[in-house]
Amino acid sequence: MDQDRYSRQLLFRKIGEEGQRRLMDSHVLVIGAGALGTGSAEILVRAGVGTLTILDRDYVEYSNLQRQQLYAESDAKGRIPKAVAARQRLSEINSEVDIRAHVMDATAEELRELAPDVDLMIDATDNFETRLVINDISQKYNVPWIYGACVGSYGISYMVIPGKTPCLNCLLNSVPLGGATCDTAGIIAPAVHMVVAYQAAEALKWLTGNHDALRGELVSFDVWTNQHTSIRVNRLKRSDCPSCGDRAAYPYLFQQPLSKAAVLCGRDTVQIRPPHRVERDLEQLAAMLSMQGGLVEANSFLVSFSLGEHRMVFFRDGRVLVHGTSDIAQAKSLYHRYLG
Ligand SMILES: [Zn+2]
């Protein structure tokens, strides 16, 4: 163990040598590499978590730089996938950590493959549909997860421990859960950092074995209006909950994965997934698109194709982002025009 690197954390008695060892034996899955994901990932990697897996479906854009702390202008200029850019920066920060990156959607199919190997999942997604999938995965594979969301100057966080706390589904109709709607109110960085601080603190407590110190409450705040609320929710656990109850059926694992086409939260963008997982030959695709007129730009992870007011970005895993529209029918017609 590099004593100097972690010396201040070792001095913190609640962690100490024993906690540090536990942390270094841990594997955390960070779902999403936007503002929340980059914040939590950086804290955990600096703290010396053993393995960190991070997944994200998107690439870095200039509008991310105001709050997504691992990215630089060169990532936006090169349209580097967030998971790839995050891994690069994280491994520069701490080369002792095994950092794994996946450019993919967080659907039930993907999470089923990743979750059984991890000790903890951190929610850094931007939509409630995915959180309910994470919640069911957490119950099915007995892996705790930490909910986090923010919009504007507001943030919320809550940790779900299977078999112990109410799950997200238990709380759905009982307490106001912010972040349930698409973000069109903008976001300021301090709200992000506050949620990250709550999530990462619970993560450190859990991973270092300090379970008595866990908050056990749902916390929400507004850093602009100066409100702060903690809700004790332990009595809201429902024995008939479809996700964590006596006869749990994990309903969100069996729904169509995020529909095949979906409008991305708060953006003028539609994502289209192919019916089955494919591995797209990006070079061949770039060559085909360059014969269609329009501007083709490619890197080793994606191909961007601009024509008129629309821009389409094709990923290796078969997904396409259609920018410049939030109309699914129009996005599909563009998709089929170029991919048949
Ligand atoms: Zn439940």
Side-chain angles (χ1 to χ4, degrees):
M1 189 187 299
D2 183 339
Q3 295 288 337
D4 204 40
R5 178 190 287 265
Y6 303 117
S7 59
R8 300 306 186 275
Q9 194 162 277
L10 291 166
L11 278 172
F12 181 70
R13 278 212 219 134
K14 299 291 185 188
I15 294 183
E17 297 261 358
E18 169 63 15
Q20 188 67 39
R21 249 190 307 276
R22 284 179 179 234
L23 192 56
M24 292 166 101
D25 284 337
S26 301
H27 184 172
V28 176
L29 172 61
V30 177
I31 303 164
L36 293 175
T38 53
S40 279
E42 180 167 346
I43 289 177
L44 292 171
V45 162
R46 286 188 189 276
V49 69
T51 308
L52 184 126
T53 297
I54 189 158
L55 72 95
D56 195 281
R57 65 184 176 187
D58 214 340
Y59 59 90
V60 182
E61 295 177 278
Y62 283 95
S63 63
N64 303 146
L65 301 180
Q66 163 247 6
R67 68 199 176 285
Q68 302 189 11
Q69 65 190 67
L70 292 173
Y71 307 132
E73 289 177 0
S74 55
D75 299 315
K77 189 160 188 280
R79 293 197 184 110
I80 308 297
K82 289 182 179 179
V84 173
R87 178 179 54 195
Q88 173 64 29
R89 178 80 181 117
L90 290 168
S91 56
E92 287 163 6
I93 289 169
N94 191 344
S95 59
E96 293 175 0
V97 179
D98 178 2
I99 297 158
R100 304 172 188 179
H102 298 280
V103 183
M104 55 161 62
D105 245 344
T107 65
E109 189 187 356
E110 280 90 1
L111 292 177
R112 263 178 216 278
E113 290 172 20
L114 298 173
D117 295 332
V118 307
D119 301 294
L120 177 68
M121 297 185 286
I122 295 188
D123 162 34
T125 63
D126 60 3
N127 66 88
F128 220 72
E129 197 175 351
T130 306
R131 292 188 181 106
L132 289 166
V133 174
I134 296 170
N135 187 61
D136 274 2
I137 287 277
S138 151
Q139 295 297 330
K140 183 168 168 58
Y141 296 100
N142 194 28
V143 179
W145 71 286
I146 307 174
Y147 164 48
C150 46
V151 56
S153 50
Y154 169 88
I156 185 166
S157 181
Y158 173 65
M159 180 169 184
V160 177
I161 304 171
K164 186 156 183 233
T165 70
C167 78
L168 194 66
N169 204 351
C170 291
L171 304 186
L172 271 187
N173 299 314
S174 314
V175 286
L177 293 169
T181 53
C182 246
D183 159 22
T184 48
I187 178 91
I188 57 169
V192 173
H193 290 286
M194 194 92 156
V195 173
V196 166
Y198 280 117
Q199 288 184 294
E202 297 311 288
L204 288 177
K205 291 174 196 173
W206 180 259
L207 299 171
T208 59
N210 285 282
H211 298 179
D212 293 345
L214 290 166
R215 176 173 296 273
E217 294 178 332
L218 182 133
V219 62
S220 67
F221 59 83
D222 190 310
V223 292
W224 208 266
T225 60
N226 312 313
Q227 283 157 325
H228 195 284
T229 315
S230 279
I231 306 177
R232 191 154 279 287
V233 292
N234 45 353
R235 271 191 251 138
L236 298 176
K237 190 165 171 62
R238 289 168 38 201
S239 59
D240 64 342
C241 171
S243 296
C244 75
D246 300 333
R247 277 185 288 177
Y250 319 114
Y252 296 98
L253 300 188
F254 301 99
Q255 291 188 348
Q256 256 318 57
L258 285 179
S259 42
K260 293 302 177 192
V263 181
L264 295 197
C265 223
R267 298 173 53 185
D268 202 18
T269 299
V270 174
Q271 171 177 269
I272 300 175
R273 293 164 58 95
H276 307 287
R277 254 202 251 184
V278 296
E279 170 110 6
R280 203 182 301 287
D281 183 337
L282 292 180
E283 280 181 22
Q284 194 184 38
L285 178 72
M288 186 273 281
L289 289 171
S290 54
M291 290 187 288
Q292 309 279 331
L295 175 66
V296 177
E297 295 163 287
N299 61 30
S300 42
F301 311 101
L302 54 85
V303 174
S304 164
F305 175 60
S306 311
L307 191 65
E309 72 230 38
H310 296 110
R311 191 160 64 80
M312 301 171 74
V313 175
F314 302 82
F315 290 87
R316 204 173 283 285
D317 68 358
R319 289 177 304 112
V320 181
L321 296 182
V322 183
H323 297 295
T325 183
S326 48
D327 177 346
I328 287 182
Q330 187 187 29
K332 278 186 172 167
S333 98
L334 284 163
Y335 175 91
H336 291 302
R337 186 180 307 164
Y338 296 106
L339 292 177

